Amino acid sequence: MSGRANIAILFFTALVLILSYLNYFTDYATNYGTLVVKLIHASLIILLAYLLGAFLGNIIMERVHDTRDRYTLRKVSSIFITLLAVGSLLIVFFKETTTLIIAYGIFSAGIVITLQDVFRNFAGGIIILFSKSFRAGDRIQVDDCYGDVLDIAYFHTTLMEIREWVDGDQYSGRILNVPNSFVLNNTVKNYTRDFSFIWDEVTIMLAPESNWEKAKSNALETTNELIKDYVEHSKRELANMEQRYLLTSYDVDTKVFMQIEGDRIEMHLRYVVDPKKRRHVNDMIVRNLLEVFADESDILIGSISSIEVTKMPEIKTISYSGK
């Protein structure tokens, strides 16, 4: 609590006591009874406003550790307390309370409209805290923002950014502060809530004369050996999710899908992986598949493109000498 607030509280406390003594225990205020009572009520309102402000200020200082959120919360609470105090003072000194309430409502609405972004961010923060749509540590996407949640404050969410100019869902090194109002009108895509795995794919291009059946068998055997822990954990998580969601499939086994594309055979290898290790696992699978296929003479990686080369006709040059 600031020194100015302490002085104000002491002053209005003394003023309430003095006015109450004059009004109820002496005859000095006989001719000004109504005015004195109004002054007592007004002093009490201001005193209560200061006390409420000090109380909320202490709570904010103890509970809110982020400097920006602390500042914003104190400003918002100060505005609300001021509005309540002004409205109460108007009612004390004027009799036409209906007109005052209407005017006070219009004034309050103007303040709310002016600070609508602040209120939207605060409302979004409350929704996040109670709905638990994501938590610190989750990987989420909001519009074009991707990242891991570092902190959820009252007015903004802090993300460690991934993607942008970096491939494979790896960190870019930038910190994003996203206003919490995004939960009111945007879809939050959570990579890790309830089910902490995603499906990823590796595409291998085979030449047409390759033994694609052997390539498929080798790819499945190699990949299953590398990601068997992920498959087991993902199956357990899916079993736990059945208690909360209607699931139509539990199939997290590795799959291979074949496709003919132009002059090549495309082999799409689909598997489950921890989203935060996607690039590492992708690299591990590709390196192991390259080593396996290198030992197979009937499996050729790549495509064959026919290029027709036309031989240019021979050009004879004739030189003329003139006199």
Side-chain angles (χ1 to χ4, degrees), residues 47-61:
L47 176 61
L48 290 174
Y50 272 106
L51 290 173
L52 181 60
F55 175 72
L56 292 178
N58 289 335
I59 292 179
I60 292 171
M61 291 294 291

Side-chain angles (χ1 to χ4, degrees), residues 103-145:
Y104 180 61
I106 295 173
F107 176 69
S108 302
I111 295 295
V112 171
I113 292 173
T114 304
L115 300 175
Q116 59 179 322
D117 290 337
V118 175
F119 293 123
R120 281 169 57 84
N121 291 335
F122 182 73
I126 297 299
I127 291 173
I128 292 171
L129 292 175
F130 282 96
S131 67
K132 297 182 180 179
S133 55
F134 58 86
R135 298 171 295 180
D138 285 353
R139 175 162 291 185
I140 66 171
Q141 174 191 352
V142 181
D143 287 338
D144 296 329
C145 297

Side-chain angles (χ1 to χ4, degrees), residues 11-30 32-45 47:
F11 173 78
F12 284 103
T13 301
L15 185 60
V16 169
L17 293 175
I18 293 171
L19 291 174
S20 298
Y21 175 78
L22 293 176
N23 185 63
Y24 298 109
F25 299 102
T26 68
D27 296 330
Y28 292 108
T30 303
Y32 305 97
T34 304
L35 178 60
V36 173
V37 170
K38 288 183 178 181
L39 290 175
I40 293 173
H41 291 166
S43 300
L44 280 173
I45 290 171
L47 176 61

Side-chain angles (χ1 to χ4, degrees), residues 90-91 94-107:
L90 291 175
I91 293 173
F94 298 95
K95 294 181 179 180
E96 297 179 3
T97 56
T98 303
T99 304
L100 286 174
I101 291 174
I102 294 174
Y104 180 61
I106 295 173
F107 176 69

